[in-house]
Amino acid sequence: MKLKLQLIIESDSGETEVVQELAELERHSLRPENLGLTLSEAKELLQEVQRAMVTHQTTGYVSQQIPCPEMWKDPIAQREASDRVADALRQVAT
């Protein structure tokens, strides 16, 4: 048996934005000890889901923070915008 696990991210309007294959698992013999995921498979799958979600959310956040061109004429506003993006990325890293 072969299982392919995909992550599908949809927009608020229901349109598919991302389809990403997360894992492919194989089970050759169907025995009680082979049921479900192993701990290492579960950890790997969770890591891939987290990576995909954080990447998508960070990209969306950063694109929402892009200011209008007029704002970039003000160095204080430019620094504040850069600080907000840096803060968001630091929060994602922790």
Side-chain angles (χ1 to χ4, degrees):
M1 172 174 56
K2 185 184 286 189
L3 296 159
K4 290 184 179 183
L5 302 171
Q6 292 182 329
L7 174 69
I8 300 172
I9 299 176
E10 295 181 346
S11 66
D12 291 337
S13 63
E15 295 179 32
T16 300
E17 294 183 357
V18 175
V19 176
Q20 181 177 341
E21 188 169 314
L22 296 179
E24 190 173 305
L25 306 170
E26 289 189 39
R27 296 293 186 263
H28 297 291
S29 60
L30 297 176
R31 297 186 313 206
E33 60 267 17
N34 293 338
L35 292 177
L37 298 172
T38 65
L39 183 56
S40 64
E41 289 170 336
K43 286 181 177 181
E44 184 179 330
L45 185 57
L46 177 59
Q47 182 180 15
E48 292 301 318
V49 170
Q50 287 282 53
R51 181 179 293 126
M53 284 183 63
V54 168
T55 298
H56 186 74
Q57 290 171 326
T58 303
T59 301
Y61 176 80
V62 168
S63 68
Q64 291 175 357
Q65 302 306 311
I66 296 174
C68 68
E70 290 297 312
M71 192 204 91
W72 288 108
K73 293 179 182 176
D74 179 2
I76 293 172
Q78 183 179 8
R79 186 170 43 249
E80 289 173 353
S82 296
D83 289 346
R84 282 196 311 269
V85 170
D87 288 344
L89 293 176
R90 271 194 293 278
Q91 289 175 2
V92 167
T94 57

